Amino acid sequence: MTTTTTIYVVEDDTLYREQIIHYIEHYHSNTFRYKLSPLDNHLLFMEEIPTLNISDNDIFFLDIDLKTRYSGIDLASQIRQINSKCNIIFMTSFEDKAVSIINSGIFPLGYLVKNPIDATEPKATIETVLMKVESLTKSAWRSDLDIITFVNGYESIYVNCKEVLYIESLKRLKNRVLIKTLTEESVIEGKIGKIKKTLEQPYLFLSLQSYIINLENITTINRKNGTITFTDDQDLFVGTRIIDKVKKGLQDYQYA
């Protein structure tokens, strides 16, 4: 599961903003896809906030002193009215701002203290912040019953079962399983029988030897062609015998 996270950088110093963006663009993650917001005018950002669709994973780098009629703290207060969980990092030249910000109920994830002497400090802070965001998100995933973790070699892959269309055992590749979701297609090491033992979601049909089918994401079943059509018009050919089992499983699930 790849999570897309939008990052906002609100900073009145153009060169410093470009430096922050450079470090973000060169940060690599296997699980998160970072997208920088095109909103770059700090003078208009307050007016833009009500129009934003802010997710819990989104990140705001806010300069406290914007040299305008409002501060980064004012922006953060408005952002918190829309989303209480998103990640806010304050950029400041003064370390003593922290207590007043916490007391105002904003509870930022961290602070980036501008250091004109050490140019590598922003890079280290940004990497720490992004790793912390990923760690907190993965902790939330682990407590979500719809999200399961696959170990693929040395890598952990998180999959939201609600987004799964089907999981298929690949006959030509020994101990390889295809996971097809609404947005991704992944091949991992493993056996489908062992995967079934880890799944408790009632909408996943586990009675087939080589497939796991998400009954919630089926849109049509064509017995004549032996195909199952899922959300977004994605087709899976399984043959008539399997079609009959899936139809029975879907009927039992709908009337359970």
Side-chain angles (χ1 to χ4, degrees):
M1 182 169 63
T2 301
T3 298
T4 298
T5 297
T6 302
I7 300 181
Y8 302 82
V9 182
V10 186
E11 164 65 59
D12 65 310
D13 185 329
T14 303
L15 291 177
Y16 193 75
R17 184 179 188 276
E18 290 177 353
Q19 183 185 43
I20 298 300
I21 290 174
H22 172 78
Y23 292 141
I24 293 170
E25 289 177 336
H26 286 78
Y27 177 83
H28 175 71
S29 172
N30 291 323
T31 313
F32 283 68
R33 182 182 297 113
Y34 293 105
K35 180 180 70 173
L36 282 157
S37 168
L39 300 177
D40 59 0
N41 190 333
H42 66 283
L43 298 174
L44 301 176
F45 197 79
M46 181 67 85
E47 287 71 29
E48 297 283 358
I49 291 174
T51 69
L52 301 179
N53 183 16
I54 303 173
S55 75
D56 293 351
N57 297 322
D58 286 350
I59 304 172
F60 291 81
F61 286 88
L62 305 176
D63 184 17
I64 289 180
D65 184 11
L66 291 169
K67 299 179 180 63
T68 184
R69 66 182 186 279
Y70 50 76
S71 69
I73 300 173
D74 297 325
L75 294 180
S77 296
Q78 288 295 110
I79 291 166
R80 279 283 178 257
Q81 290 183 27
I82 298 174
N83 188 297
S84 63
K85 297 180 180 180
C86 65
N87 306 283
I88 293 175
I89 298 90
F90 283 111
M91 299 181 288
T92 177
S93 301
F94 308 100
E95 297 186 54
D96 59 356
K97 290 281 190 181
V99 174
S100 64
I101 293 167
I102 292 172
N103 289 341
S104 70
I106 294 171
F107 300 103
L109 183 68
Y111 298 87
L112 199 167
V113 179
K114 299 178 184 180
N115 188 341
I117 299 174
D118 186 357
T120 63
E121 187 172 325
K123 180 177 185 293
T125 303
I126 288 166
E127 290 176 350
T128 299
V129 163
L130 297 182
M131 286 189 287
K132 188 173 182 179
V133 169
E134 294 181 16
S135 178
L136 290 171
T137 303
K138 288 175 182 178
S139 294
W141 286 348
R142 284 189 284 270
S143 64
D144 188 328
L145 297 178
D146 285 307
I147 295 177
I148 56 174
T149 307
F150 295 101
V151 178
N152 189 32
Y154 296 102
E155 180 185 10
S156 293
I157 298 175
Y158 298 87
V159 176
N160 188 335
C161 291
K162 289 184 176 180
E163 297 180 357
V164 168
L165 302 182
Y166 61 87
I167 300 174
E168 177 183 2
S169 177
L170 298 177
K171 301 176 182 61
R172 296 182 181 179
L173 296 174
K174 187 178 180 181
N175 296 333
R176 293 291 187 276
V177 174
L178 169 69
I179 303 172
K180 181 72 172 178
T181 72
L182 290 168
T183 57
E184 295 180 293
E185 186 175 289
S186 304
V187 176
I188 66 167
E189 298 177 12
K191 295 182 178 180
I192 199 165
K194 287 186 176 181
I195 292 175
K196 289 178 183 178
K197 293 177 182 178
T198 68
L199 301 176
E200 299 179 355
Q201 292 77 10
Y203 50 84
L204 294 181
F205 186 58
L206 308 177
S207 299
L208 304 174
Q209 183 176 350
S210 300
Y211 298 95
I212 298 169
I213 303 292
N214 189 335
L215 300 173
E216 287 281 1
N217 286 332
I218 293 176
T219 55
T220 59
I221 295 177
N222 189 319
R223 190 178 188 278
K224 181 178 179 181
N225 295 334
T227 58
I228 302 170
T229 302
F230 296 93
T231 304
D232 293 342
D233 294 326
Q234 300 189 57
D235 293 330
L236 172 67
F237 174 78
V238 292
T240 303
R241 186 167 60 87
I242 291 178
I243 284 287
D244 290 340
K245 292 181 179 180
V246 173
K247 288 180 71 174
K248 176 66 166 55
L250 184 60
Q251 185 177 40
D252 292 342
Y253 173 68
Q254 290 173 336
Y255 290 97

